């Protein structure tokens, strides 16, 4: 079977927005597509917590006048089916809202006018819209109106799976189910069997079992027209890992349609310090090697498709986007223009936009009143990966209260993050009361007591229940939390949110992204690259101090490489700063001064052990 050119199908010009809203926790953006897709804004919903998703499905089903038929947890393949039905529901709602909006008159206050007013000035659709407004020729205005309606685009309803959240499951009789019923595989199947034409965002590294499972679904392969009904986006933190994962998939005939580059530390959710690789040099490598990478991937992809009796002659589009710590329109525009990325991601700031995300009133108030040191990188995640935490969250308060009461840890009900088998045959979660009780008992039995006993104890009790915590706010805001369920809210904004200080509307946030208003709190916010560099230096120092007394050869090499990469990044930014032509000379000079200060500080922090 021979396909037509993919470039004509998939290489369309970006005529709507140049940003997307990334996934936010488990529930903060779970229904964001319903709220923004009809305005042409793409967003990502997590499909990890099927229990919370099922409640949201009931809410939106009834709100839209449809009949809700529950899917119970004792039914076969309930997790996958819940996700499929929820995604199908979102697809129907977005399509309905979009078609209603398209039919509206261009009158003041109408949704269709709001659609075009939200667009950036560089959008060709926005330029046509402005021409229509200024035209005095009624025939021309009517023609442009028809053109605008015909060319409007919905925002994508993309979904996210954390690859490592992939527990194996048992049936109602306690028998182990096959691999395709693991948490991540069932979620993937839920998306693959949905009516959506959108993308699956895979994050948190490579999971071979999950990646292999993609081969089972035809929608990830080109259809008879050469189009991909469902696409793959990889969230990545460096070029090397991105290339490795994409080659693995290309050899199976699975094309990666986008690399979503995320700052290692200047982001929300889980954080990956990337051995000192900074965002600027990472983006530079993607820019320089993009063509080389595309050609190698396409050769592997073509060969794999030929083995399936499929032929493609034109290379599919591979987009590069970036997210993590972007705070101003100038930074956004520089990323788009200098690094030639296709779009940017704005996540944490949308936590302050109630019409877009699910943040309960108390947490929203705490976010607006927060200081910079309320945002910190922690070891709170049971996954054993650094996690951006918020000191004022009710979940953090509850964790400390439980420790004070002599009952550290959380009840473990959803079990999405169970992985530890140190004390049990069945995996348990390191944030659970069961694990922490056993681990603390083990620590207390060590004689003589370790000098770092308190530090080890804190590492045990620092773990936080994220399964409940990252969904609680969504259930609270929508009045879906049941009696006796935990109300404690975990939230994981990126440190960049500290510079935003008030609740705002969707229109205001979009205007901020495009430089029409300024939502930043008063204060001299450093450039996003400087912010990230400071976070990396702080992380390096903390790691150095933690390991100073017990430094083995492997850790020594790691810290040396980390330090070397920081200095490489600093040298890179020295050359980059003069190219920030959309900033003032005073801004660039201040940035150079900040860079020199960081470099001096880092050079003064090079112990003899390194």
């Amino acid at each position: 079977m021979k396909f037509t050119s993919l470039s004509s199908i998939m290489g369309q010009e970006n005529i709507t927005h140049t940003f997307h809203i990334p996934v936010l926790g488990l529930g903060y953006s779970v229904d964001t597509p319903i709220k923004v897709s009809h305005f042409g804004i793409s967003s990502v919903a997590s499909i990890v917590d099927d229990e919370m998703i099922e409640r949201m499905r009931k809410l939106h089903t009834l709100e839209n006048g449809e009949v809700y038929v529950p899917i119970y947890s004792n039914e076969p393949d309930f997790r996958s089916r819940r996700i499929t039905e929820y995604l199908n529901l979102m697809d129907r709602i977005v399509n309905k809202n979009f078609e209603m909006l398209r039919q509206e008159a261009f009158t003041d206050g109408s949704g269709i006018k709001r659609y075009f007013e939200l667009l950036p000035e560089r959008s060709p659709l926005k330029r046509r819209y402005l021409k229509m407004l200024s035209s005095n020729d009624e025939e021309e205005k009517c023609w442009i109106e028809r053109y605008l309606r015909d060319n409007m685009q919905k925002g994508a309803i993309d979904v996210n799976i954390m690859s490592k959240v992939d527990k194996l499951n048992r049936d109602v009789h306690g028998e182990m189910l096959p691999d395709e019923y693991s948490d991540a595989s069932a979620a993937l199947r839920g998306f693959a069997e949905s009516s959506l034409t959108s993308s699956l965002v895979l994050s948190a590294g490579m999971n071979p079992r999950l990646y292999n499972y993609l081969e089972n679904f035809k929608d990830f392969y080109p259809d008879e027209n050469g189009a991909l009904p469902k696409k793959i986006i990889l969230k990545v933190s460096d070029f090397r890992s991105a290339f490795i994962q994409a080659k693995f998939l290309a050899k199976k005939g699975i094309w990666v349609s986008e690399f979503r580059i995320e700052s290692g530390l200047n982001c929300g959710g889980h954080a990956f310090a990337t051995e000192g690789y900074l965002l600027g040099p990472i983006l530079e490598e993607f820019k320089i090697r993009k063509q080389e990478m595309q050609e190698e991937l396409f050769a592997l992809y073509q060969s794999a498709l030929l083995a399936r009796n499929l032929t493609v002659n034109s290379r599919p589009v591979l987009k590069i986007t970036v997210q993590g710590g972007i705070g101003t329109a100038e930074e956004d525009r520089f990323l788009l223009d200098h690094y030639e990325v296709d779009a940017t991601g704005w996540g944490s700031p949308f936590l302050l936009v109630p019409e877009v995300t699910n943040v309960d009133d108390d947490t929203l108030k705490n976010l607006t009143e927060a200081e910079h040191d309320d945002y910190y990188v922690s070891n709170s995640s049971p996954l054993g990966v650094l996690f951006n935490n918020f000191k004022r969250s009710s979940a953090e308060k509850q964790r400390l209260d439980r420790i004070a009461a002599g009952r550290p840890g959380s009840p473990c009900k959803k079990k999405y993050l169970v992985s530890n088998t140190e004390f049990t045959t069945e995996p348990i979660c390191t944030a659970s009361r069961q694990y922490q009780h056993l681990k603390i008992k083990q620590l207390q039995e060590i004689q003589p007591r370790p000098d770092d006993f308190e530090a080890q104890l804190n590492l045990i009790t620092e773990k936080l229940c994220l399964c409940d915590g990252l969904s609680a706010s969504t259930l609270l805001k929508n009045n879906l939390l049941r009696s006796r369920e935990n109300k404690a809210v975990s939230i994981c904004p990126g440190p960049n949110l500290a510079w935003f200080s008030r609740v705002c509307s969707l229109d205001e946030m979009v205007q901020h992204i495009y430089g029409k208003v300024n939502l930043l709190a008063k204060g001299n916010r450093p450039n996003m690259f400087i912010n990230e560099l400071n976070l990396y230096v702080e992380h390096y120092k903390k790691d150095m101090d933690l390991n100073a007394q017990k430094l083995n050869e492997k850790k020594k090499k790691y810290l040396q490489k980390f330090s070397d990469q920081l200095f490489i990044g600093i040298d890179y930014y020295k050359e980059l700063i003069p190219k920030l032509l959309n900033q003032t000379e005073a801004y660039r000079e201040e940035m150079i001064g900040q860079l020199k200060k960081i470099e001096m500080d880092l050079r003064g922090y090079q112990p003899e052990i390194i």
Side-chain angles (χ1 to χ4, degrees):
M1 168 161 56
K2 191 140 177 160
F3 294 127
T4 56
S5 169
L6 286 172
S7 59
S8 61
I9 298 165
M10 302 175 62
Q12 298 175 353
E13 181 182 12
N14 184 358
I15 63 173
T16 54
H17 292 278
T18 58
F19 76 93
H20 61 264
I21 303 174
V23 67
L24 295 165
L26 298 182
Y28 293 107
S29 64
V30 72
D31 59 349
T32 293
I34 292 174
K35 300 165 181 175
V36 303
S37 290
H38 55 296
F39 291 119
I41 299 171
S42 297
S43 59
V44 186
S46 170
I47 53 172
V48 168
D49 187 348
D50 65 275
E51 291 186 35
M52 178 264 296
I53 283 172
E54 180 67 2
R55 295 191 205 180
M56 293 299 286
R57 183 171 77 88
K58 179 178 180 180
L59 174 76
H60 286 293
T61 297
L62 297 178
E63 282 185 352
N64 284 271
E66 296 188 19
V67 177
Y68 169 70
V69 179
I71 299 172
Y72 297 106
S73 58
N74 60 356
E75 297 180 26
D77 204 19
F78 69 91
R79 176 174 170 80
S80 172
R81 290 170 51 219
R82 283 174 169 177
I83 291 167
T84 297
E85 288 304 317
Y86 180 65
L87 298 181
N88 289 347
L89 173 67
M90 280 209 293
D91 196 23
R92 292 195 301 274
I93 293 172
V94 168
N95 286 336
K96 179 183 71 175
N97 291 342
F98 183 65
E99 289 307 316
M100 287 174 59
L101 187 145
R102 286 178 72 174
Q103 302 307 318
E104 290 181 4
F106 281 88
T107 55
D108 290 342
S110 66
I112 195 167
K113 280 203 74 171
R114 188 183 183 197
Y115 177 100
F116 288 101
E117 292 291 344
L118 285 170
L119 294 176
E121 302 304 310
R122 66 198 301 178
S123 162
L125 273 186
K126 182 64 169 280
R127 293 195 291 269
R128 291 287 183 100
Y129 169 72
L130 294 175
K131 184 175 181 180
M132 181 196 74
L133 292 182
S134 63
S135 176
N136 294 317
D137 184 327
E138 288 302 317
E139 185 177 346
E140 181 184 46
K141 290 185 78 164
C142 288
W143 183 89
I144 297 176
E145 273 194 23
R146 287 196 300 272
Y147 176 88
L148 292 175
R149 293 184 201 277
D150 289 343
N151 286 277
M152 290 170 67
Q153 293 181 358
K154 294 175 293 182
I157 306 173
D158 293 329
V159 302
N160 173 251
I161 296 175
M162 281 192 72
S163 298
K164 299 299 173 64
V165 181
D166 195 19
K167 172 181 96 277
L168 293 171
N169 291 302
R170 296 180 182 274
D171 63 19
V172 291
H173 305 294
E175 297 297 321
M176 189 63 71
L177 290 166
D179 285 358
E180 60 261 34
Y181 292 96
S182 71
D183 281 351
S185 295
L188 189 159
R189 184 166 61 257
F191 169 68
E193 294 181 350
S194 75
S195 60
L196 290 177
T197 301
S198 61
S199 299
L200 170 63
V201 183
L202 295 170
S203 62
M206 186 170 166
N207 177 344
R209 179 173 66 197
L210 184 67
Y211 284 21
N212 289 333
Y213 193 48
L214 288 165
E215 294 183 82
N216 290 274
F217 304 99
K218 64 180 180 61
D219 275 6
F220 293 111
Y221 294 95
D223 63 18
E224 62 275 8
N225 297 313
L228 292 171
K230 289 182 171 65
K231 302 175 187 176
I232 295 297
I233 294 174
L234 295 184
K235 190 190 288 187
V236 298
S237 52
D238 65 85
F239 183 86
R240 180 177 174 274
S241 66
F243 207 176
I244 289 171
Q245 291 181 72
K247 284 195 284 189
F248 183 92
L249 291 171
K251 290 174 183 177
K252 298 177 178 299
I254 304 289
W255 184 256
V256 173
S257 295
E258 180 183 333
F259 289 117
R260 194 157 283 186
I261 305 164
E262 185 173 57
S263 168
L265 293 178
N266 199 12
C267 61
H270 287 88
F272 302 85
T274 62
E275 297 185 320
Y277 292 102
L278 300 174
L279 187 60
I282 291 168
L283 288 171
E284 189 72 36
E285 185 172 12
F286 271 93
K287 178 182 177 180
I288 292 170
R289 300 186 63 186
K290 181 180 178 180
Q291 184 68 24
E292 164 206 337
M293 176 174 60
Q294 285 181 319
E295 290 174 0
E296 185 171 342
L297 290 176
F298 185 53
L300 296 172
Y301 180 64
Q302 272 189 314
S303 297
L305 289 183
L306 278 173
R308 292 176 174 268
N309 198 30
L310 301 173
T311 304
V312 289
N313 295 318
S314 298
R315 188 173 65 212
V317 168
L318 194 164
K319 293 183 177 180
I320 307 291
T321 65
V322 59
Q323 59 196 46
I326 309 168
T328 68
E330 291 79 14
E331 289 174 353
D332 186 87
R333 188 64 180 260
F334 183 78
L335 293 168
L336 292 168
D337 293 344
H338 181 78
Y339 292 108
E340 300 170 8
V341 297
D342 296 281
T344 57
W346 287 67
S348 296
F350 275 97
L351 293 171
L352 296 177
V353 187
E355 64 186 290
V356 173
T357 53
N358 294 302
V359 184
D360 62 283
D361 291 341
D362 289 342
T363 304
L364 193 60
K365 183 174 183 293
N366 286 330
L367 288 174
T368 60
E369 296 174 353
E371 303 293 335
H372 283 267
D373 61 1
D374 287 320
Y375 303 90
Y376 69 107
V377 177
S378 73
N379 289 301
S380 298
S381 173
L383 288 176
V385 178
L386 292 176
F387 183 75
N388 279 288
N389 211 343
F390 183 56
K391 289 181 182 178
R392 297 194 184 205
S393 72
S394 53
E396 184 63 14
K397 181 178 183 301
Q398 182 185 70
R399 182 184 72 85
L400 296 173
D401 288 345
R402 284 172 170 169
I403 294 171
R407 284 179 60 78
S410 306
C412 189
K413 296 178 181 178
K414 294 181 177 177
K415 303 184 185 300
Y416 296 129
L417 302 182
V418 296
S419 62
N420 186 280
T421 54
E422 185 178 355
F423 303 105
T424 57
T425 303
E426 287 289 317
I428 59 176
C429 179
T430 55
S432 69
R433 185 164 293 155
Q434 179 186 9
Y435 173 82
Q436 293 192 10
H437 170 75
L438 293 168
K439 191 66 176 175
I440 291 170
K441 182 181 178 182
Q442 181 190 65
L443 178 63
Q444 290 172 333
E445 290 174 350
I446 298 175
Q447 296 297 331
R449 175 170 286 195
D451 293 337
D452 62 346
F453 177 86
E454 290 299 324
Q456 289 192 50
L457 183 63
N458 289 336
L459 282 174
I460 296 167
T461 60
E462 189 178 4
K463 302 302 181 188
L464 198 61
C465 175
L466 301 183
C467 298
D468 284 336
L470 291 176
S471 294
S473 185
T474 303
L475 300 177
L476 280 169
K477 181 173 179 177
N478 293 285
N479 298 311
L480 298 176
L481 203 67
R482 295 167 184 159
S483 61
R484 304 186 69 178
E485 286 188 324
N486 194 351
K487 297 180 180 179
V489 171
S490 299
I491 193 164
C492 47
N496 187 49
L497 190 59
W499 300 99
F500 294 81
S501 65
R502 71 175 178 87
V503 173
C504 62
S505 67
L506 169 63
D507 300 65
E508 287 177 307
M509 185 57 71
V510 173
Q511 288 170 352
H512 173 82
I513 292 170
Y514 294 140
K516 295 181 180 178
V517 300
N518 183 8
L519 297 178
L520 292 181
K522 290 182 180 179
N524 188 17
R525 175 187 174 276
N527 181 275
M528 61 177 288
F529 292 133
I530 297 294
N531 277 331
E532 188 201 48
L533 177 57
N534 276 321
L535 291 169
Y536 269 84
V537 171
E538 181 183 341
H539 174 81
Y540 170 75
K541 288 181 176 180
K542 187 184 296 185
D543 205 5
M544 182 74 77
D545 292 342
L546 189 65
N547 290 279
Q549 303 303 319
K550 48 180 181 180
L551 198 67
N552 58 36
E553 196 61 30
K554 181 179 179 181
K555 191 65 179 181
K556 184 177 179 180
K557 287 181 179 178
Y558 169 82
L559 288 170
Q560 181 65 64
K561 183 177 181 180
F562 200 103
S563 172
D564 291 345
Q565 287 301 325
L566 292 182
F567 283 117
I568 289 171
I570 288 170
D571 289 340
Y572 171 84
Y573 287 137
K574 287 177 183 177
E575 297 183 7
L576 181 72
I577 291 172
K579 300 174 185 176
L580 297 172
L581 300 179
N582 64 343
Q583 303 283 6
T584 64
E585 185 176 349
Y587 181 98
R588 294 194 293 272
E589 288 178 356
E590 183 175 6
M591 196 173 169
I592 290 170
Q594 293 167 336
L595 197 61
K596 288 180 178 178
K597 184 178 179 181
I598 295 170
E599 183 178 21
M600 287 180 61
D601 181 40
L602 186 60
R603 290 196 184 283
Y605 205 86
Q606 297 293 301
E608 292 181 6
I609 55 173
I610 291 294

